[in-house]
Amino acid sequence: MSPMKVGIIGAGATGLAAAYTLVKAGHEATVYEGDPFVGGQASTFDVGGARLEKGYHHLFTSDRDMVDLIHELGLGPKLAWIESKVGIFHGGKIYNFVSPTDLLRFTPLSPVDRLRMGLAILYLQRYKEWQKLERFTAAEWIRKYAGKGAYDVVWGPLLRGKFGAYYDKVGMPWFWGKIHTRFASRGKGMQKERLGYPMGSFAEVFETLAERIVERGGEVNLSTPVRAITVEEGRATGLEARSAWGSTILRPFDAVLATTPSYVLPRLVSGLPQDYLEKLQGVKYLAAVLMVLVLKEPLSRLYWLNIADRSIPFVGLIEHTNYIESSHYGGKHILYISNYLGEDSPLFHMKDSQLLEEYIPHLKKVNPRFDPSWIEEWYYHRVEAAQPIAGANYSQHIPDHRTPVKGLYLANTTQIYPEDRGTSYSVRMGKRLAGMMMEDLG
Ligand SMILES: Cc1cc2nc3c(=O)[nH]c(=O)nc-3n(C[C@H](O)[C@H](O)[C@H](O)COP(=O)(O)OP(=O)(O)OC[C@H]3O[C@@H](n4cnc5c(N)ncnc54)[C@H](O)[C@@H]3O)c2cc1C
């Protein structure tokens, strides 16, 4: 069999995993990335003399595809597994929220509500037939089975924080998936949760992956946005891209894989049939809006603090240096203030400095000692199309990987289901798509 030539749009986890699988099998993979760096949503910026993800990243022990990849790339010794410290902020207080004992001590809920919530969590951990949960939204199911108390105090505010106007639209499999992955990441006795971090950053993993692709004869072209997918007689025949120097690149390919958000695909290729277009345009995304503060002192003792209080304008405080030691970042304390926002939110439209002003008074609620003078530096990142919204019966709305244009494939986070997006699922999907293309063209 002669090697097939595949053009790949996007050098995130999906595109690079697909390219790597193809070149390992002896095929030719050419990746085009619009940004000047690889890693997409898992890319980094420099802080405290080290690299840090623009949006917090870690791995669960269940993230096998990513863990295996890290080992295969020879980066295994750099993968640290560290006990997580997770809490919830409610009624002006921080509560630990990791173990069953923490739930028993969660006094904002009555003992009956605590028991009910604990039983619902236990049930979901063991329940395997997520398809049967598809007809429920998460809000409906939680109210009905975990109880109104658990919904009003814990999950409701978190759903509102994470999904904004879509809080009551998110399908139950999303919630089921969250409970499963978190509990799969625990040791015996379910007391301890360990989270994995590639010391040196996720970007280092994806850069090493790109190097291995190139070593095996593949290409990874940065700052090279794809402008169009060429189609002849209903078949994808190549790509048109703009090079880093502004010239037009036209390359023929046997197959094309797009790893862009769904709404980008119709801009690159015309003539997609209406039912496929509806699936691409029907999925709503939220942007991740992240304010990263470099502080003189730690804000809290926790890594991950869920904010179950909707008078506070953010949904999570992720204090990276309560997970990875601050010595790796020149002794600085690093805090992400996290939000997922749609255009309907006024916060989405705020200028970075305005948003910081909006957030600052609320940090004092979490730690009354906090003073704005603690802020030494701050950074603002916005990751577009960060969180797709999977509503009830979502499986019927997922666009196929094989698009109606022959030889054109789509792989993005809207097709990861019932799990929520994550680098490991993207790597798994990239590998699967490479296999699909080899099967179709082989
Ligand atoms: C805030 C946040 C926190 C997260 N936390 C975690 C975590 O803790 N653990 C975890 O495993 N995952 C986490 N994720 C999810 C993870 O980062 C993503 O699921 C994964 O990186 C998606 O990879 P992808 O390749 O599918 O998409 P992307 O990373 O979006 O890659 C797509 C690439 O395509 C490029 N592109 C788009 N259009 C074009 C074009 N026309 N031409 C050329 N290139 C183009 C983009 O620039 C981009 O680089 C998080 C994500 C966010 C936003």
Side-chain angles (χ1 to χ4, degrees):
M1 187 178 97
S2 59
M4 74 182 171
K5 294 183 172 54
V6 180
I8 297 176
I9 311 172
T14 310
L16 291 178
Y20 185 51
T21 311
L22 287 164
V23 293
K24 278 202 297 183
H27 297 288
E28 292 174 22
T30 307
V31 182
Y32 296 99
E33 169 55 55
D35 284 330
F37 47 80
V38 301
Q41 294 186 25
S43 57
T44 55
F45 68 114
D46 293 339
V47 63
R51 301 172 76 186
L52 180 72
E53 292 68 32
K54 289 170 194 147
Y56 48 86
H57 268 69
H58 56 242
L59 293 172
F60 295 106
T61 48
S62 53
D63 285 333
R64 287 307 332 161
D65 290 84
M66 189 63 183
V67 171
D68 290 350
L69 176 68
I70 290 173
H71 283 281
E72 187 176 335
L73 295 175
L75 296 172
K78 287 190 155 187
L79 183 57
W81 290 99
I82 300 163
E83 204 175 302
S84 71
K85 298 177 211 128
V86 179
I88 188 161
F89 184 81
H90 170 85
K93 259 184 90 176
I94 295 176
Y95 297 85
N96 285 343
F97 219 75
V98 182
S99 68
T101 335
D102 293 336
L103 179 59
L104 289 174
R105 291 195 194 120
F106 189 65
T107 47
L109 285 180
S110 71
V112 174
D113 282 343
R114 271 177 255 170
L115 186 69
R116 212 171 150 190
M117 182 167 162
L119 288 174
I121 293 175
L122 214 59
Y123 175 78
L124 289 175
Q125 283 163 31
R126 276 145 218 256
Y127 193 72
K128 301 230 161 58
E129 295 173 88
W130 61 267
Q131 292 87 343
K132 292 196 177 154
L133 301 174
E134 268 224 296
R135 63 197 170 93
F136 293 101
T137 62
E140 269 166 5
W141 193 96
I142 296 167
R143 270 196 226 108
K144 191 164 176 187
Y145 295 103
K148 190 172 171 319
Y151 183 80
D152 289 346
V153 173
V154 183
W155 305 118
L158 294 182
L159 281 171
R160 278 173 197 272
K162 172 111 192 188
F163 293 105
Y166 303 101
Y167 79 96
D168 59 350
K169 301 279 182 298
V170 177
M172 183 56 194
W174 175 82
F175 187 69
W176 172 88
K178 284 279 159 201
I179 301 280
H180 256 254
T181 30
R182 288 223 85 116
F183 283 89
S185 220
R186 295 194 172 195
K188 285 216 168 75
M190 297 205 307
Q191 294 292 323
K192 302 240 156 72
E193 177 186 63
R194 290 192 182 277
L195 300 175
Y197 188 77
M199 302 299 296
S201 85
F202 276 70
E204 188 181 71
V205 176
F206 293 115
E207 282 163 12
T208 309
L209 182 57
E211 278 166 25
R212 296 296 148 79
I213 293 166
V214 174
E215 278 163 20
R216 286 175 183 263
E219 278 180 45
V220 180
N221 300 292
L222 303 181
S223 304
T224 312
V226 169
R227 297 286 199 223
I229 298 162
T230 49
V231 177
E232 282 167 35
E233 293 172 4
R235 174 163 203 102
T237 53
L239 290 176
E240 183 190 318
R242 189 176 49 82
S243 78
W245 301 274
S247 57
T248 299
I249 301 170
L250 275 170
R251 279 272 288 268
F253 289 107
D254 301 318
V256 170
L257 169 63
T259 71
T260 65
S262 286
Y263 58 80
V264 172
L265 189 66
R267 297 179 197 158
L268 302 179
V269 62
S270 52
L272 290 169
Q274 195 54 32
D275 56 340
Y276 197 77
L277 271 179
E278 274 168 18
K279 283 187 174 164
L280 296 181
Q281 286 157 350
V283 62
K284 300 275 175 288
Y285 286 98
L286 296 176
V289 174
L290 300 140
M291 190 64 79
V292 188
L293 306 188
V294 177
L295 300 174
K296 279 186 198 149
E297 293 191 39
L299 185 78
S300 80
R301 62 194 158 75
L302 297 174
Y303 165 52
W304 191 285
L305 185 60
N306 289 308
I307 306 294
D309 177 343
R310 293 287 41 93
S311 72
I312 295 182
F314 42 81
V315 67
L317 289 174
I318 293 114
E319 203 157 347
H320 183 75
T321 39
N322 287 341
Y323 171 45
I324 306 298
E325 275 192 21
S326 66
S327 57
H328 293 281
Y329 305 92
K332 314 266 183 199
H333 300 278
I334 299 172
L335 173 76
Y336 291 96
I337 308 177
S338 157
N339 249 332
Y340 287 86
L341 304 173
E343 285 192 22
D344 57 302
S345 165
L347 300 173
F348 181 92
H349 302 280
M350 278 186 189
K351 267 181 43 195
D352 50 3
S353 52
Q354 211 184 346
L355 191 65
L356 180 64
E357 289 302 314
E358 180 76 20
Y359 285 169
I360 281 178
H362 300 279
L363 295 176
K364 244 182 152 36
K365 295 183 182 169
V366 174
N367 179 351
R369 283 185 49 247
F370 170 80
D371 188 272
S373 66
W374 288 10
I375 304 174
E376 290 183 331
E377 295 160 44
W378 60 275
Y379 303 84
Y380 173 88
H381 302 296
R382 187 148 121 177
V383 184
E384 303 296 342
Q387 178 70 55
I389 313 259
N393 297 313
Y394 182 68
S395 57
Q396 292 157 33
H397 303 283
I398 303 175
D400 284 345
H401 290 303
R402 290 183 176 95
T403 75
V405 174
K406 265 199 153 128
L408 173 60
Y409 299 79
L410 176 71
N412 65 33
T413 53
T414 68
Q415 294 157 306
I416 294 169
Y417 185 72
E419 304 93 347
D420 195 16
R421 61 175 199 161
T423 51
S424 196
Y425 302 121
S426 297
V427 167
R428 183 182 70 186
M429 183 166 59
K431 290 196 293 191
R432 182 149 31 90
L433 263 288
M436 198 182 274
M437 290 187 277
M438 291 191 263
E439 196 183 301
D440 290 354
L441 280 99

